Amino acid sequence: MNHMNGFNPLSRTSAHRRAMSRNMVTSLFRYERVTTTKAKALEVRKAAEKLITRAKVDTVHNRRVAAKFIADEKILNKLFTDIGPRMKDRNGGYTRVLKMGFRQGDAAEVVILELVDYKLPDSEEQDDKAAKKAAKAEAKKADAKKE
């Protein structure tokens, strides 16, 4: 029976589980969106939400507690200067899990774990990239005609 079991060991040793959790939380804060299995996402979500709650108040103590979990200094700074203040008015529920389907090889349920205020890259940026690409193509054609 699984009564009162506080976490999912994910069939890993404690060191492997801790390292994987730290890496996935760091990736979540870096990219604000990661694709993983449902079991891993639900475990990583717990740590990520606790760190975001800490990041809402930028103190030396909170930074040191978060630094135990996040080794990358740039990501730690992003957490306290960008992500924490964005979530200031929210009382929890900083992440969401979106189901994608099942993986081909082992039929594991794959999900997207993302921050709630994550926004997809705007279509304006895509339009700018398309315009730049078209301009480069025209410049190449003009160069080819000159030769």
Side-chain angles (χ1 to χ4, degrees), residues 107-126:
E109 191 170 359
V110 179
V111 299
I112 294 175
L113 176 66
E114 68 181 11
L115 298 179
V116 170
D117 60 353
Y118 177 80
K119 294 195 178 19
L120 290 172
D122 292 338
S123 59
E124 294 175 8
E125 291 177 10
Q126 292 173 354

Side-chain angles (χ1 to χ4, degrees), residues 12 33 35 38 42 50 74-75 81 86 92 98 109 120-121 134-135 142:
R12 287 165 171 79
R33 185 178 204 181
T35 303
K38 183 179 178 185
L42 295 180
K50 288 177 183 176
K74 289 180 183 177
I75 302 305
T81 58
R86 279 189 343 216
L98 303 170
E109 191 170 359
L120 290 172

